[in-house]
Amino acid sequence: MTQDGSHAIDVLLREKRLYKPSAAFQKRARIRSLPALRSIIARARRNPPGFWAKAARDIQWMKPWKKILDWRPPHARWFVGGALNVSANCLDRHLEGPRRNKAALIWEGEPGDSRVLTYHELHAETSRFANVLKSLGVRKGDCVGIYMPAVPEAVVAMLACARIGAMHNVVFGGFSAQALRERLVDSKARVLVTADGGWRRGQIVPLKGVADEALAGAPGVEHVVVFKRAANAVGWVEGRDLWWHELMLAAPRDCPAVPVDAENPLYILYTSGSTGKPKGVLHTTGGYLVQTALTSKWVFDLRDEDVYWCTADIGWVTGHSYVVYGPLACGATVLLYEGAPFHPEPDRLWSIIEKRGVSVFYTAPTAIRACMRFGDDWPRKHDLSSLRLLGSVGEPINPEAWLWYYRVIGGSRCPVVDTWWQTETGAILITPVPGATPMKPGSATMPFPGIEADVVDRQGRPVKPGKGGYLVVRKPWPSMLRGIFGDPKRYKSQYFDPIPGAYFSGDGARKDADGYFWVLGRIDDVINVSGHRLSTMEIESALVSHPAVSEAAVVGRPDEIQGQAITAFVTLKAGASSNAGLKDELRAHVVRAIGPLAKPSDIRFAEALPKTRSGKIMRRLLRELAGSGRTQGDITTLEDFTVLSKLQSGGEEES
Ligand code: WTA
């Protein structure tokens, strides 16, 4: 929570419009009306474990569970005693029927190349690569780092880990060497799977080069498997580095999926929290698969004939749950696109939808806002009539963007599912169920059946409708995180200590009189830039590691396209001169430390930062300054008032 976060959360937005799912959609939906959904919710509320146990019957188990839920707050174990294999659920079981030769992955490369892998082929590739991992000494419980472009082999590598009971740690391909190194070291990865490069905006991102730099400080990594994607020149360490295609040639095709315990770790994924270094969020097997599969089926209404496209990178949780595990468990056809959304022209997304007949499309508000800005002519050039359902995730979607998405992209016929969830929740928790939930633009609507979410005050008491509060979840759910890798104390202190008797999400929200949830965004020191969570702390430490910087405070300011933009207030050491050159240098320094995502849009040099008497930086004031240029509200705890007037009179700095 913010140091000065005791202030009420202001609620400014009031959106009244209501959009009902069309009769045509409703007719063939799984859940066809609001009363039908409400009765499922009511039943699930009476017996949440019973609800999830029923959902678990859609999954193939190798050994039945003995107990649905073992809840010793704050620790949950789901499907205790059960055994299964995620890759068998995503692949093998589809081979027995007509899905065998159905496309599992339709891949579009940025330069215009493409490939299709059927379930049969994806199964074969995964089995081979699982044997490759075994031949490199990877065993059950080991961790494999994955630092890949969005190519089918990234999915193969993830599923291959699951097949042999190893866990993966996928690191987003936009992260820097330093960020990759930290994650490899923290997760104790033994093998890294990467590519020579990947295509982005017409350029090759030299992943292997970055990996080499990262590995200089990650001695635990014994082998690097390199997939040849971009054919760029790469450095090579004999004995350590191995080509993907050479290993695959030698690998046998048969690799039975091993039964693993329902609570066996499936993956670690690093995400930003309010303090300290990124947290390795740990997800396990049974509950995670049950909930990602059920939400894929109900929220995206997936059918065998759909072409489903989630634009998230596999380096984020959305890529894990809704590009790979959920949809493949449902036997869906998943589209995977390698590159940038507006390359070579702003209509790349729409041209892919037209080319492949995409029917279900899931993306982020930041992309929708950027498309809106390019104008309606780009989507209008394309036949988007194959679309039947749209989704949004990653940050609150403003009603204007929602309406544009609904009308211009969805032709006013597709429900829009605005799905709220987090890396920690593993799967969607608050969302419309298309076909049943009347939608209000900007609201994620209601908790999914089996989820007890609420908006409360600091003491955990529900706040009145219309009032802002903290978004919490009161009961355990199957896909919840099981811990923070290597830091059990932080799990409790971060998520369960702040609000008595509940999981605390770090988000503010309000509920309206109809029980609809309106997520207001993060209330801790995390900013959401283009749908990606970044810790202000981490950016601050990157800045402070520069020799000229004495102190730094990073805040978000509202930005039309990115949602939030990063503003850094920086005080310099004596003798350092504050010029534009230094600003560029600091920006480059942050990019080196974390990656381009974390690059500050504005850097403002200050003589001092506003602090409380106890020495805490008053971020609220900085946020207000960065946003509107003024401060409002209480400043009585400010220690030195001149600091503020100096910051205010500092005027607009060039960015
Ligand atoms: C925000 C991404 C409003 C929220 C799946 C959350 C949203 C954080 C929505 C998690 C939404 C995600 N409406 N806000 N539909 N979806 N968020 O871990 O602040 O990358 O806490 O997971 O994104 O981001 P994460």
Side-chain angles (χ1 to χ4, degrees):
M1 270 180 227
T2 53
Q3 288 135 357
D4 49 353
S6 51
H7 292 263
I9 296 168
D10 296 321
V11 177
L12 302 174
L13 204 74
R14 302 276 173 198
E15 179 59 50
K16 293 252 162 12
R17 286 165 284 201
L18 193 70
Y19 289 80
K20 298 217 165 102
S22 72
F25 191 95
Q26 241 164 354
K27 215 166 94 196
R28 47 175 309 224
R30 290 196 168 87
I31 302 169
R32 292 185 184 166
S33 69
L34 190 56
L37 176 62
R38 287 211 194 275
S39 92
I40 295 174
I41 291 173
R43 241 180 301 139
R45 179 165 295 149
R46 285 195 293 275
N47 177 11
F51 172 80
W52 292 113
K54 195 166 167 220
R57 284 186 208 123
D58 262 4
I59 294 299
Q60 209 173 59
W61 295 82
M62 292 160 158
K63 198 172 118 202
W65 65 84
K66 294 207 176 74
K67 194 173 172 199
I68 306 168
L69 168 66
D70 178 28
W71 175 228
R72 296 172 199 199
H75 301 286
R77 292 194 303 149
W78 283 88
F79 307 109
V80 182
L84 72 164
N85 184 287
V86 165
S87 116
N89 271 281
C90 291
L91 302 169
D92 305 48
R93 71 170 163 151
H94 303 314
L95 302 185
E96 282 148 31
R99 284 180 186 154
R100 180 184 184 82
N101 293 316
K102 166 185 172 167
L105 292 179
I106 298 179
W107 176 76
E108 292 287 331
E110 192 188 76
D113 46 347
S114 68
R115 282 160 66 196
V116 176
L117 270 83
T118 63
Y119 271 97
H120 172 77
E121 289 167 320
L122 186 60
H123 174 263
E125 293 293 289
T126 300
S127 303
R128 270 206 187 93
F129 196 66
N131 279 325
V132 166
L133 290 176
K134 282 203 264 185
S135 74
L136 298 177
V138 177
R139 299 280 171 268
K140 200 164 161 176
D142 285 345
C143 180
V144 173
I146 298 178
Y147 185 64
M148 295 276 273
V151 290
E153 282 67 20
V155 179
V156 168
M158 291 165 77
L159 291 167
C161 291
R163 198 161 186 86
I164 59 174
M167 55 186 170
H168 54 69
N169 164 25
V170 184
V171 180
F172 171 57
F175 273 125
S176 70
Q178 206 172 310
L180 172 61
R181 180 187 306 141
E182 254 173 45
R183 286 160 175 75
L184 291 174
V185 170
D186 192 82
S187 66
K188 304 188 169 57
R190 295 186 57 191
V191 167
L192 175 66
V193 184
T194 187
D196 50 357
W199 288 96
R200 184 116 194 135
R201 282 192 210 98
Q203 308 281 322
I204 294 173
V205 181
L207 294 165
K208 172 69 164 65
V210 180
D212 284 338
E213 208 187 318
L215 290 168
V221 177
E222 295 152 28
H223 288 291
V224 181
V225 180
V226 188
F227 175 69
K228 190 179 251 176
R229 160 64 185 138
N232 47 317
V234 292
W236 207 255
V237 177
E238 278 311 324
R240 185 195 72 181
D241 298 352
L242 304 155
W243 283 112
W244 173 291
H245 56 269
E246 288 176 4
L247 294 170
M248 289 291 266
L249 269 181
R253 153 87 175 74
D254 187 43
C255 178
V258 299
V260 304
D261 189 86
E263 286 297 339
N264 193 59
L266 179 63
Y267 66 81
I268 308 174
L269 184 62
Y270 286 81
T271 192
S272 297
S274 52
T275 49
K277 59 177 192 180
K279 303 173 289 191
V281 168
L282 176 70
H283 282 292
T284 60
T285 302
Y288 177 81
L289 191 66
V290 166
Q291 197 172 340
T292 51
L294 182 71
T295 47
S296 295
K297 193 165 132 186
W298 282 10
V299 178
F300 300 117
D301 188 47
L302 288 180
R303 315 265 166 177
D304 268 318
E305 58 276 25
D306 277 318
V307 177
Y308 163 82
W309 184 12
C310 164
T311 64
D313 190 272
I314 43 146
W316 309 114
V317 74
T318 310
H320 285 59
S321 300
Y322 297 109
V323 174
V324 182
Y325 294 118
L328 293 179
C330 293
T333 293
V334 174
L335 195 138
L336 189 67
Y337 168 57
E338 175 187 31
F342 312 122
H343 184 85
E345 299 279 5
D347 61 345
R348 187 64 189 268
L349 300 176
W350 323 129
S351 96
I352 293 176
I353 290 175
E354 178 173 14
K355 173 179 174 194
R356 294 298 188 175
V358 172
S359 51
V360 179
F361 182 64
Y362 189 30
T363 194
T366 182
I368 298 167
R369 288 190 297 262
C371 291
M372 235 172 120
R373 192 148 86 172
F374 286 122
D376 298 8
D377 287 348
W378 292 103
R380 295 227 194 277
K381 278 187 8 198
H382 298 276
D383 177 2
L384 303 180
S385 60
S386 58
L387 289 172
R388 64 180 196 88
L389 177 62
L390 300 173
S392 167
V393 63
E395 54 179 313
I397 180 166
N398 42 312
E400 287 62 38
W402 192 101
L403 283 166
W404 184 84
Y405 196 31
Y406 179 77
R407 288 190 185 129
V408 179
I409 305 306
S412 302
R413 82 185 167 272
C414 308
V416 175
V417 289
D418 174 0
T419 62
W420 179 87
W421 61 294
Q422 311 178 288
T423 305
E424 294 87 341
T425 70
I428 294 167
L429 296 195
I430 304 179
T431 179
V433 173
T437 315
M439 298 157 286
K440 297 185 190 182
S443 166
T445 76
M446 288 179 283
F448 192 78
I451 302 299
E452 293 296 325
D454 205 352
V455 180
V456 302
D457 64 15
R458 276 268 167 111
Q459 282 68 47
R461 292 174 302 224
V463 299
K464 292 212 175 70
K467 291 269 179 283
Y470 304 104
L471 180 55
V472 299
V473 188
R474 292 190 188 282
K475 296 234 168 89
W477 63 99
S479 65
M480 68 192 278
L481 78 163
R482 298 301 196 265
I484 294 174
F485 192 70
D487 196 350
K489 282 204 196 104
R490 204 166 158 205
Y491 169 71
K492 184 166 174 287
S493 66
Q494 181 102 34
Y495 303 110
F496 293 92
D497 287 347
I499 311 268
Y503 163 86
F504 176 49
S505 66
D507 281 356
R510 73 177 166 92
K511 245 191 326 184
D512 68 17
D514 299 328
Y516 277 50
F517 284 67
W518 299 78
V519 178
L520 304 169
R522 305 289 310 181
I523 60 130
D524 53 12
D525 291 336
V526 171
I527 45 184
N528 197 324
V529 179
S530 301
H532 302 309
R533 273 165 68 177
L534 301 171
S535 146
T536 53
M537 221 343 253
E538 218 187 333
I539 304 171
E540 285 162 9
S541 359
L543 285 165
V544 174
S545 72
H546 188 278
V549 174
S550 137
E551 214 173 17
V554 166
V555 297
R557 69 163 163 77
D559 179 89
E560 239 177 72
I561 304 290
Q562 297 177 302
Q564 287 192 295
I566 301 168
T567 300
F569 293 86
V570 173
T571 61
L572 296 177
K573 287 193 181 141
S577 79
S578 55
N579 51 37
L582 182 59
K583 282 190 186 176
D584 291 340
E585 204 179 305
L586 291 178
R587 281 201 189 95
H589 190 72
V590 173
V591 171
R592 267 195 305 278
I594 307 174
L597 265 179
K599 183 160 88 180
S601 318
D602 321 303
I603 292 183
R604 294 170 66 162
F605 294 119
E607 273 173 47
L609 299 174
K611 291 187 183 166
T612 61
R613 270 160 248 249
S614 60
K616 287 180 181 164
I617 296 174
M618 292 183 74
R619 287 161 197 288
R620 176 177 55 85
L621 297 182
L622 293 176
R623 264 196 296 274
E624 289 168 0
L625 270 177
S628 64
R630 281 184 312 278
T631 56
Q632 308 159 329
D634 186 19
I635 51 166
T636 48
T637 53
L638 186 64
E639 198 203 26
D640 176 359
F641 291 94
T642 60
V643 169
L644 203 59
S645 54
K646 277 187 196 141
L647 276 169
Q648 273 164 331
S649 62
E652 273 310 287
E653 293 271 356
E654 104 277 16
S655 63

